[in-house]
């Protein structure tokens, strides 16, 4: 069907919608739904409240009006096509993490190829399909970094519902889905949203390592481990232990969700993890070069903040395991690394690991350290190191 906006009937758009759905499944889109492009008024209210309470992460688009008014992004917008692609929740034969060779873990969102590229590729195919049929159509594609709330769009388009952990949960794939959307100037008939809720279940709230889910459906991003692993500076002390061995992101509130039980879809080859990059050895990360980091982690969505946060988190993970064999590596960071964040985190880690060697390392570093903040961290660590059992 080749058609023009102005001489096209509702039946034609319904037929085109069916063709789009069929094509979407053909190109490996797991779920597709259609939403109106009306302003997201309820979300707008939530976003302003969110800001007032200081819950924002800083990674989201700052202009709330733009976030909630699709016409500010594409003036001709008449509908939004939402898509979801499923990703795996389990790894085949994960490598062993053992004393002396402990490993960190990247959240599933960072397994395999960067989902931004994969979803964008699918949406571009869909866009070309539409442009062939409606040459004057206007479109705008978004995956994660766009202004709109991908979850709010997906919810409206009936892909799933939003749980207390704030994730969009689908019936078939649970919340293990990436989301993306395309604004279009075609008035596609919208789909119905899904009426479902978590009921009395609070397992995600109770399991969150930092109590970041403040009320069902609302997240204080500044406490969320997924956020904390991505900041570039020091992680506030109160959260350092809660990071555990996570190097990027956090999956806890999804792992515990009953709606995700036994769900593991592995049909997208792109998302198959390279197990050594998804659960890397910790010690070698401390001195990994820029080039090696790019070659091992560059294709993962977890590399977008560069290597520093992942290295800092690797230090926290060594402290989590109380890995005494890592003391020389941590001393090396303390004496040689130019980045004060890594040095101060290494000092903290030595204070947690404890033992004679850690104490000697801290004393050696204390003499050399010029940065006042790192000095302070070394002094605190020297007190802590005495109390470690
Ligand atoms: C900023 C951001 C973050 C921040 C803040 C997350 C958050 N919950 O707000 C941080 C860094 C913490 C983060 C973490 C993660 N993120 Co993120 N993130 C985003 C981003 C860029 C914007 C989200 C946003 O605007 N948050 C502000 C809140 C208010 O908006 P919202 O979550 O979209 O709002 C929905 C619900 O939260 C709910 N809601 C909001 N307020 C209220 C209030 C009440 C009372 C109620 C009932 C409901 C409710 O309603 C909205 C939908 O209608 C989106 C991409 C995008 N452009 O949308 C990805 C996105 C949300 N992230 C995603 C993922 C995968 C993750 C992680 C799982 C990654 C990981 N493993 O570490 C974690 C999950 C943590 C969590 N529980 O949310 C996916 C989610 C897919 C899904 N199935 O839901 C998205 C959509 C990216 C994508 N395109 O696939 N993320």
């Amino acid at each position: 069907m080749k058609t023009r906006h102005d001489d096209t009937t509702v039946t034609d758009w319904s037929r085109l919608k069916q063709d789009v759905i069929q094509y979407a499944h053909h190109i490996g889109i797991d779920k597709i739904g259609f939403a109106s492009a009306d302003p997201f008024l309820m979300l707008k209210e939530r976003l302003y409240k969110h800001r007032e309470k200081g819950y924002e992460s800083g990674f989201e688009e700052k202009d709330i009006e733009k976030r909630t008014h699709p016409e500010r992004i594409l003036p001709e917008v008449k509908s939004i096509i939402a898509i979801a692609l499923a990703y795996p929740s389990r790894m085949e034969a994960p490598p062993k993490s053992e004393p002396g060779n402990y490993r960190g873990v990247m959240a599933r969102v960072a397994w395999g190829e960067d989902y931004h590229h994969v979803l964008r590729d699918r949406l571009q195919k869909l866009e070309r399909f539409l442009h062939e049929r409606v040459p004057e159509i206007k479109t705008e594609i978004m995956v994660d970094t766009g202004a709109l709330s991908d979850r709010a769009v997906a919810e409206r388009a009936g892909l799933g519902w939003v749980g207390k952990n704030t994730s969009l949960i689908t019936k078939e794939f649970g919340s293990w889905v990436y989301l993306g959307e395309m604004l279009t100037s075609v008035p596609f008939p919208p789909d119905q949203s899904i009426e479902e809720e978590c009921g009395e279940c609070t397992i995600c709230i109770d399991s969150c390592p930092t109590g970041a889910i403040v009320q069902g459906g609302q997240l204080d991003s500044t406490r969320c481990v997924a956020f904390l692993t991505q900041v570039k500076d020091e992680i506030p002390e109160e959260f350092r232990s809660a990071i555990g061995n996570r190097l990027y992101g956090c999956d806890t509130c999804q792992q515990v969700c009953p709606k995700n039980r036994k769900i593991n879809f592995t049909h997208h080859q792109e998302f198959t993890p390279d197990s050594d990059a998804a659960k890397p050895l910790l010690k070698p990360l401390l001195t990994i070069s820029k080039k090696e980091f790019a070659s091992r982690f560059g294709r993962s969505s977890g590399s977008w903040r560069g290597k520093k946060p992942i290295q800092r988190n690797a230090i926290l993970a060594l402290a989590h395991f109380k890995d005494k064999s890592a003391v020389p590596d941590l001393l090396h960071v303390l004496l040689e690394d130019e980045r004060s964040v890594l040095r101060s985190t290494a000092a903290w880690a030595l204070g947690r690991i404890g033992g004679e060697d850690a104490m000697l390392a801290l004393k050696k570093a204390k003499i050399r350290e010029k940065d006042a903040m790192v000095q302070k961290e070394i002094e605190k660590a020297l007190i802590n190191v005495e109390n470690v059992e």
Side-chain angles (χ1 to χ4, degrees), residues 129-311:
F129 180 88
L130 278 169
H131 275 274
E132 270 175 27
R133 281 152 186 81
V134 190
E136 76 279 21
I137 191 174
K138 297 273 189 307
T139 49
E140 183 76 34
I141 288 173
M142 288 178 198
V143 181
D144 185 47
T145 55
L148 294 182
S149 156
D150 299 339
R151 285 168 171 159
V153 172
E155 191 181 26
R156 186 185 278 182
L159 296 193
W161 51 285
V162 173
K164 286 183 185 167
N165 63 4
T166 80
S167 284
L168 187 285
I169 304 172
T170 67
K171 197 165 149 263
E172 306 84 343
F173 312 105
S175 63
W176 303 118
V177 287
Y178 299 122
L179 305 174
E181 61 264 356
M182 178 161 50
L183 281 65
T184 93
S185 56
V186 164
F188 283 115
D191 291 318
Q192 292 281 316
S193 52
I194 293 173
E195 294 294 323
E196 183 151 357
E197 51 175 51
C198 303
E200 298 298 305
C201 181
T202 56
I203 198 163
C204 60
I205 301 175
D206 305 336
S207 311
C208 176
T210 52
I213 307 173
V214 280
Q215 280 160 27
Q218 281 182 76
L219 184 86
D220 178 353
S221 301
T222 64
R223 301 183 68 85
C224 174
V225 170
F227 166 74
L228 293 165
T229 59
Q230 297 177 55
V231 300
K232 290 195 172 173
D233 298 328
E234 265 86 11
I235 292 181
E237 199 165 347
E238 64 169 309
F239 300 125
R240 287 181 199 163
S241 304
I243 305 291
N245 69 334
R246 298 177 187 86
L247 298 174
Y248 179 86
C250 176
D251 284 324
T252 300
C253 64
Q254 297 193 88
Q255 282 176 287
V256 298
C257 176
K259 301 289 175 189
N260 280 340
R261 202 169 286 151
K262 294 196 177 147
I263 287 183
N264 179 36
F265 284 89
T266 56
H267 53 287
H268 293 294
Q269 289 305 309
E270 297 98 320
F271 301 142
T272 303
D274 158 359
S275 56
D276 210 46
K279 292 199 168 173
L281 284 169
L282 292 169
K283 283 190 282 188
L285 281 177
L286 304 192
T287 49
I288 192 169
S289 70
K290 229 176 170 175
K291 202 167 155 198
E292 200 191 337
F293 180 80
S295 105
R296 281 189 66 199
F297 300 100
R299 60 190 277 274
S300 152
S301 70
S303 68
W304 78 288
R305 302 285 280 170
K307 66 179 178 137
K308 189 170 76 173
I310 290 178
Q311 291 182 299

